Amino acid sequence: TTAGELVHQWTVPRAYDDLIAILGDGLLFSRTNYPPIEERKGKLMDTPHEILRISKDGSEEKLVHTFSVLRFLARGAAASWAPFNAAVSDDGRFLFVNHTAEYEISVLDLATGRITKNFTREYKRVRHVPFPGEARFSSEYNFKKPYEADITGLYVFKDRLWVKTSTMDKKKGTLYDVFSFDGTYLDAFVLNKNMTSIQNGRLMVWEADAAGNEAFVIYAVKE
């Protein structure tokens, strides 16, 4: 619960990437299928990213949809290129997905497994900040990444989709866009919080005090 009380726990017999949501009839997971090592050519490659419904006892698995995600793959090495961000509507009907490095969002109908809509907006891309050791990695594998992924997170707040972008001001915070579920751009705001999720109209964030002690904090949203 939001009070920190354990309600239930599950053990699934197979390996998955992320738990996306707990639905009325089971669990929604994602799973990436990487090519064999000998097929990794040191370039950007499409990797199938599956959306799966899993029964709560882990005995049944149903493929809902497969997205293609670009990743840089070489023998013994890999680097991120496109992210995979997902958020489910509160009624469990739709899954909002960003699986490209560019600003694009797909709406997946979880009942039919079909994409009902794709939407985007004009966005000024943010220059990529090299990760530690990237210069050596780039030299060895000819890896070049000019921009950060445009979208770094998706969150559902009631009947709105919050899109966390790569635009950030060190003092003010990160830029979030707000869309209606039909893809209409409504507003934007800046949030200086390390948000992890939204549950029951509450923002879940990690915060650290001056001594570096971290705490999980829950905020109510004033509309």
Side-chain angles (χ1 to χ4, degrees):
T1 68
T2 53
E5 299 172 350
L6 177 64
V7 176
H8 193 68
Q9 61 185 6
W10 296 276
T11 299
V12 289
R14 301 175 184 85
Y16 301 100
D17 291 355
D18 294 302
L19 172 63
I20 298 174
I22 301 173
L23 304 175
D25 60 349
L27 312 172
L28 197 66
F29 276 95
S30 67
R31 179 174 61 202
T32 302
N33 291 314
Y34 290 98
I37 293 177
E38 60 271 16
E39 295 180 11
R40 303 179 189 185
K41 305 299 184 180
K43 63 180 182 180
L44 291 176
M45 301 180 68
D46 285 321
T47 57
H49 202 94
E50 299 174 338
I51 305 299
L52 302 148
R53 278 186 183 268
I54 313 299
S55 61
K56 290 184 178 179
D57 63 1
S59 62
E60 297 181 21
E61 176 182 289
K62 178 184 177 182
L63 176 64
V64 179
H65 191 83
T66 301
F67 291 93
S68 180
V69 180
L70 275 179
R71 288 183 170 86
F72 182 88
L73 299 175
R75 292 191 180 189
S80 65
W81 185 269
F84 185 84
N85 300 300
V88 69
S89 59
D90 288 345
D91 59 9
R93 292 182 58 196
F94 300 106
L95 184 71
F96 301 92
V97 172
N98 160 242
H99 64 105
T100 64
E102 295 76 27
Y103 201 115
E104 182 179 350
I105 298 164
S106 301
V107 184
L108 174 65
D109 186 323
L110 290 173
T112 65
R114 296 180 180 179
I115 300 296
T116 62
K117 183 179 288 292
N118 292 288
F119 59 92
T120 184
R121 79 165 179 88
E122 291 186 9
Y123 181 77
K124 184 178 180 181
R125 308 205 70 188
V126 175
R127 279 290 186 187
H128 171 59
V129 178
F131 55 79
E134 184 172 333
R136 181 178 178 181
F137 183 90
S138 299
S139 175
E140 184 173 355
Y141 295 101
N142 193 31
F143 173 76
K144 297 178 181 179
K145 185 176 182 178
Y147 299 104
E148 300 290 351
D150 295 347
I151 295 174
T152 61
L154 297 177
Y155 305 91
V156 168
F157 179 71
K158 298 184 179 180
D159 61 347
R160 298 289 182 261
L161 178 68
W162 292 6
V163 180
K164 183 180 179 181
T165 74
S166 57
T167 300
M168 183 180 67
D169 183 286
K170 290 184 178 180
K171 293 183 179 179
K172 296 180 180 179
T174 301
L175 176 68
Y176 287 74
D177 293 330
V178 181
F179 289 87
S180 63
F181 285 178
D182 65 2
T184 302
Y185 177 83
L186 301 175
D187 203 352
F189 63 91
V190 175
L191 183 65
N192 192 16
K193 299 290 182 183
N194 184 19
M195 184 166 64
T196 61
S197 67
I198 300 175
Q199 302 290 334
N200 301 321
R202 302 288 192 268
L203 269 62
M204 314 293 182
V205 305
W206 281 108
E207 290 189 357
D209 59 20
N213 299 310
E214 291 191 338
F216 192 60
V217 184
I218 300 174
Y219 285 92
V221 180
K222 291 184 178 181
E223 298 184 72

